[in-house]
Amino acid sequence: IESFNSGGTFKPGKDIVAYVNNADQKFRIFYKGEIYDVEEFPPMGFVAGDGIVAYVDYSGYFKIFCDGEVTTISSINPDFFKVVNRMVIYGERGYFNVWDDYRTHTLETYIPREKDWAANWGTILYIDLNRNVKIYNKGENKVLTYDLADSVYLYRDVIVVNKGMNNHNVYWKGKKY
């Protein structure tokens, strides 16, 4: 897609490639057979997923490229950001957020430790401050269980809650096993 120059950076997603061309230092995205010139300068950081790219531009603005369009999510450089499938999970000023289905949803007014949350297949699973397990899916955030959890695991659409002392509950399709 570009003439060879050694150097530069790139990050692939499922069906998308974001890259900085070493020759002109422009930030570009290859998506559905087209090359999009997204920014004139290299971003501070970027991550690709399923048809989306999240990045912080050279001015510190947090942006998302999705379906051929760039959307500015925030004028604030996020605390962290991660792309999982087609969701962008990020922290901003201590808030735990997700950008999903073209909207931002605030999940919590704090950021859980990285080991206390998991994401996959449009679902975010996390332990809240009270050690209850919460689940976000399709714009809805709710408590999965009030059982005190030590850790959570998400395997596609199967949820495993470790309550300590080798006591695990498994959730699948709304049922507890």
Side-chain angles (χ1 to χ4, degrees):
I1 60 176
E2 293 280 342
S3 57
F4 177 75
N5 280 314
S6 64
T9 57
F10 70 93
K11 295 193 180 167
K14 179 180 175 185
D15 55 356
I16 196 166
V17 178
Y19 63 96
V20 176
N21 185 330
N22 202 33
D24 60 11
Q25 292 296 297
K26 289 185 179 182
F27 182 53
R28 295 188 171 110
I29 295 174
F30 178 75
Y31 179 62
K32 291 190 175 182
E34 288 189 48
I35 297 174
Y36 295 84
D37 285 336
V38 181
E39 300 285 340
E40 291 294 315
F41 300 102
M44 296 165 99
F46 62 99
V47 183
D50 295 357
I52 64 172
V53 174
Y55 67 97
V56 178
D57 74 4
Y58 61 94
S59 299
Y61 283 71
F62 185 42
K63 298 180 178 181
I64 294 176
F65 174 92
C66 181
D67 297 328
E69 301 284 326
V70 174
T71 302
T72 300
I73 300 303
S74 177
S75 60
I76 300 167
N77 191 343
D79 301 328
F80 78 94
F81 65 99
K82 183 175 183 176
V83 174
V84 179
N85 304 117
R86 206 162 159 85
M87 297 183 303
V88 179
I89 303 160
Y90 66 99
E92 181 181 77
R93 291 190 175 177
Y95 285 68
F96 189 48
N97 302 304
V98 61
W99 184 88
D100 180 35
D101 198 27
Y102 306 97
R103 293 188 323 239
T104 296
H105 304 274
T106 298
L107 302 179
E108 294 293 337
T109 57
Y110 70 96
I111 299 173
R113 298 177 302 182
E114 189 172 350
K115 71 180 193 96
D116 287 342
W117 64 273
N120 202 349
W121 280 37
T123 300
I124 301 172
L125 183 69
Y126 64 96
I127 300 172
D128 72 7
L129 290 174
N130 296 320
R131 292 184 42 215
N132 300 319
V133 179
K134 287 189 173 177
I135 185 169
Y136 166 86
N137 187 278
K138 297 179 183 171
E140 186 181 353
N141 194 25
K142 63 183 180 181
V143 175
L144 176 69
T145 179
Y146 290 101
D147 291 340
L148 301 181
D150 283 346
S151 56
V152 292
Y153 305 95
L154 184 60
Y155 304 101
R156 294 188 137 185
D157 56 350
V158 176
I159 298 166
V160 178
V161 176
N162 177 6
K163 299 188 318 181
M165 305 285 289
N166 289 328
N167 184 0
H168 293 78
N169 289 340
V170 177
Y171 296 84
W172 183 60
K173 293 189 177 183
K175 292 185 179 179
K176 178 179 167 182
Y177 297 92

